[in-house]
Amino acid sequence: QSALTQPPSASGSPGQSVTISCTGTSSDVGGYNYVSWYQQHPGKAPKLIIHEVNVRPSGVPDRFSGSKSGNTASLTVSGLQAEDEADYYCCSYAGSNNFVVFGGGTKVTVL
Amino acid sequence: QVHLVQSAAEVKKPGASVTVSCKTSGYTFTSHGITWVRQAPGQGLEYMGWINPYNSNPKYAQKFQARVIMTTDTSTSTAHLELRSLRSDDTAVYFCARFLTLAAADYWGQGTLVTVSS
């Protein structure tokens, strides 16, 4: 059982938007502005697409955006493209003892 | 460019130990923490711990505290993960990654498949 809760799947048609939620507690997501999101294609290493809740690393399209409200963080992919079909994982800092916790992952399908 | 290159796949018997290496290049090794994450077949990402190459201080996830050792070699800019007392459920791809900020790893190794089987 993962520490952070994500829906197992999400889908949308090309050009549409999809939003993935990531629910934690006040000890992780709610307690720190250190939430990150990773995209993983089959057989590949994860790729960082959002860090510190809503910061996009260089090279990541602005179709990807992050936000947080209370104990829940969200990733929105706007203008869905075929190459966005992948697994997405949220991750949060959880203090000096637990340090990092992951969500269980969400499989995004582009219809 | 920043690169993290991991050692080759391993096959081990239950009860044995395995060491996975992660050779880094393209940045100052002591300026970024290295984290280890594993992924069992068809499963999600699992955080194992991280190490600060500046002072070689590791911090392990509770689940792995008794069986894992993380080390760094600043002379070769390489990080190592040793996992002992292997079980079949340790079969996974093991990734090393460089911390950008807390909980954010911006560069990843290609992954090392460790198979535990009798």
Side-chain angles (χ1 to χ4, degrees), chain B residues 26-39:
Chain B
Y27 73 99
T28 302
F29 183 58
T30 52
S31 296
H32 294 264
I34 293 287
T35 186
W36 291 90
V37 174
R38 76 178 187 179
Q39 186 170 37

Side-chain angles (χ1 to χ4, degrees), chain A residues 34 36 38 40 44-48 51-52 89 91-93 96-100 102-104, chain B residues 37 39 43-47 50 59-60 62 95 99-106 108-110:
Chain A
Y34 287 104
S36 55
Y38 297 89
Q40 187 181 34
K44 301 294 187 182
K47 175 187 176 183
L48 180 69
H51 65 90
E52 293 170 87
Y89 295 90
C91 180
S92 175
Y93 178 65
S96 59
N97 284 334
N98 295 319
F99 208 75
V100 166
F102 279 103
Chain B
V37 174
Q39 186 170 37
Q43 302 301 309
L45 303 175
E46 184 174 31
Y47 168 75
W50 77 285
K59 183 78 172 179
Y60 305 134
Q62 259 190 324
F95 293 101
F99 269 142
L100 172 64
T101 65
L102 293 174
D106 59 347
W108 292 67
Q110 81 276 20

Side-chain angles (χ1 to χ4, degrees), chain A residues 3 6 8-10 20 26 37 43 50 57 63 67 69-70 73 75 77 81 85 89 107 109:
Chain A
Q6 296 180 235
S9 63
I20 303 166
S26 58
W37 290 89
I50 294 287
R63 303 184 293 103
S67 62
S69 177
L75 172 73
V77 186
Q81 299 183 5
E85 187 161 293
Y89 295 90
K107 182 175 182 59
T109 301

Side-chain angles (χ1 to χ4, degrees), chain B residues 86-113:
Chain B
L86 289 168
R87 307 184 291 250
S88 58
D89 62 358
D90 290 319
T91 294
V93 175
Y94 289 76
F95 293 101
C96 64
R98 183 187 87 159
F99 269 142
L100 172 64
T101 65
L102 293 174
D106 59 347
Y107 287 93
W108 292 67
Q110 81 276 20
T112 297
L113 175 62

Side-chain angles (χ1 to χ4, degrees), chain A residues 3-5 22-32 70-72 92-94 101:
Chain A
L4 305 180
T5 300
C22 169
T23 302
T25 69
S26 58
S27 297
D28 37 66
V29 174
Y32 309 95
N71 296 336
T72 298
S92 175
Y93 178 65
V101 289

